Amino acid sequence: MTEATVSSQPVHLIRPGKPAEPDAPRWPRPAVLALFELPFNDLLYRAQQVHRQHFDANEVQRSTLLSIKTGGCPEDCSYCPQSVHYDTGVQAGKLLDVDEVRRAAAAAKEQGASRFCMGAAWRAPKDRDIEKVVELVRAVKDLGLETCCTLGMLTDRQARALKEAGLDYYNHNLDTAPEAYGRIISTRDYQDRLDTLEHVRAAGMHVCCGGIVGMGESREERAGLIAQLANMDPYPESVPINHLVQVEGTPLHGLDPLDPLEFVRTIAVARITMPTARVRLSAGRQQMSEAVQALCFLAGANSIFYGDKLLTTGNPDWERDQSLFAKLGLRSC
Ligand code: SF4
């Protein structure tokens, strides 16, 4: 029996487009949506095949995320407890100093992290903020770790300053599909995100860019997010797929939860459409059962955030992750 006859949809026929026109997308949205709609087993089988062509299927990269400047952000992202627009109990803090960051990075390295990500709750850093972040990047690089920052919107000059300091990755998420963006954030638009990503690329840094699912979006909109990411040229090297963590006080608190299998499908579609990217199982892991996390690894997730806190929300602690890795025979890389 061929693949085409065992499936209700012909798995092998859903492929990136070979566009007749030079500007046509590599992954037209209908092709991405068709992946989402495959029978679950077919989707996971295909994702595993793609994953094994490009990676050791039992290796998972571990990144640690530190909030270097918490809260007080003027943006109104509906999911975020750090926005000044919502009363969530998050206390605004100052930018951490070099010694604090160096200590946290050394501890993360000790616990097996290979990349250290620093997040600051800014709409867009000022040039004097960038000067301080440059020092932090240098301190973390000196420990032999890969570095990543997420600082908000960057100018071209700021992106180049970070690259010169040795920053390896810049994280800037698209969050959701273009047509859903206005429901989630009103203080900036999609094009602002794309402009920063262009500055990051032009400066020669790797791009870390993904989104958040479970924000009340439709499957079509999830496909729209993945299509946006997969059609970047080149697509991001690192693709965090976050599951909304509902925080009391934010507008998205109280939404109906997303079916966990739909989350797994999103990971699988990201893996298939961006074969060589590190697909990161990011926020929301603390609320996920081990079985769902295992399905995400099977679907092609090969990176996690590691450590007991993600900016301001919880993350599984070190022992729980060690135990899960041991059960699944996963290794860190
Ligand atoms: S997600 Fe980032 S930009 Fe949006 S409110 Fe939170 S800290 Fe600010």
Side-chain angles (χ1 to χ4, degrees), residues 79-326:
Y79 50 83
C80 181
Q82 301 200 67
S83 165
V84 289
H85 299 268
Y86 317 126
D87 184 9
T88 60
V90 169
Q91 298 293 320
K94 287 193 309 194
L95 184 64
L96 300 185
D97 67 32
V98 179
D99 286 340
E100 286 171 284
V101 172
R102 191 186 289 112
R103 271 198 301 276
K109 187 177 179 190
E110 184 77 10
Q111 293 205 321
S114 60
R115 189 180 306 166
F116 192 71
C117 309
M118 293 170 269
W122 285 315
R123 169 179 164 78
K126 300 184 175 62
D127 287 347
R128 65 170 184 271
D129 298 323
I130 292 292
E131 282 166 28
K132 292 180 191 152
V133 174
V134 157
E135 286 176 46
L136 304 181
V137 170
R138 291 202 173 115
V140 175
K141 287 291 281 186
D142 284 349
L143 295 170
L145 284 161
E146 280 187 320
T147 49
C148 178
C149 279
T150 180
L151 313 171
M153 293 184 275
L154 293 184
T155 64
D156 185 35
R157 207 156 60 100
Q158 290 173 332
R160 277 186 276 118
L162 291 167
K163 169 67 182 169
E164 274 160 33
L167 188 66
D168 298 296
Y169 287 80
Y170 193 79
N171 165 266
H172 204 60
N173 290 332
L174 288 180
D175 292 340
T176 190
E179 71 274 23
Y181 203 71
R183 293 201 306 264
I184 306 295
I185 298 147
S186 74
T187 46
R188 56 168 189 262
D189 58 33
Y190 219 69
Q191 191 57 48
D192 292 327
R193 304 304 270 180
L194 297 172
D195 290 348
T196 289
L197 290 166
E198 213 174 292
H199 296 152
V200 169
R201 268 286 178 230
M205 283 182 281
H206 295 312
V207 169
C208 172
C209 182
I212 308 174
V213 296
M215 298 197 291
E217 74 286 342
S218 62
R219 176 178 273 181
E220 163 88 38
E221 288 167 342
R222 281 187 285 282
L225 166 67
I226 299 292
Q228 278 287 329
L229 296 166
N231 289 321
M232 286 181 183
D233 187 17
Y235 57 77
E237 284 82 8
S238 187
V239 180
I241 303 292
N242 296 280
H243 190 302
L244 174 70
V245 178
Q246 297 195 12
V247 179
E248 213 173 324
T250 59
L252 297 186
H253 182 253
L255 280 183
D256 287 342
L258 182 73
D259 180 341
L261 295 182
E262 187 68 14
F263 184 80
V264 176
R265 282 183 182 272
T266 310
I267 297 267
V269 175
R271 166 52 65 224
I272 294 165
T273 54
M274 293 170 274
T276 61
R278 284 267 167 209
V279 175
R280 181 170 310 118
L281 178 52
S282 302
R285 214 158 55 80
Q286 192 175 33
Q287 287 75 29
M288 261 171 230
S289 68
E290 288 194 337
V292 171
Q293 291 186 61
L295 280 174
C296 289
F297 294 128
L298 192 65
N302 62 353
S303 175
I304 58 168
F305 272 129
Y306 195 50
D308 59 8
K309 213 166 176 200
L310 282 184
L311 295 178
T312 59
T313 57
N315 200 39
D317 63 25
W318 187 78
E319 283 84 8
R320 269 176 63 196
D321 278 342
Q322 290 293 97
S323 148
L324 180 60
F325 270 49

Side-chain angles (χ1 to χ4, degrees), residues 14-15 26-38 43 219-220 222-228 230-231 269-270 273:
I14 303 172
R15 296 208 175 280
R26 205 172 64 87
W27 276 101
R29 190 193 277 215
V32 177
L33 188 58
L35 289 173
F36 267 96
E37 295 192 341
L38 284 172
L43 176 61
R219 176 178 273 181
E220 163 88 38
R222 281 187 285 282
L225 166 67
I226 299 292
Q228 278 287 329
N231 289 321
V269 175
T273 54

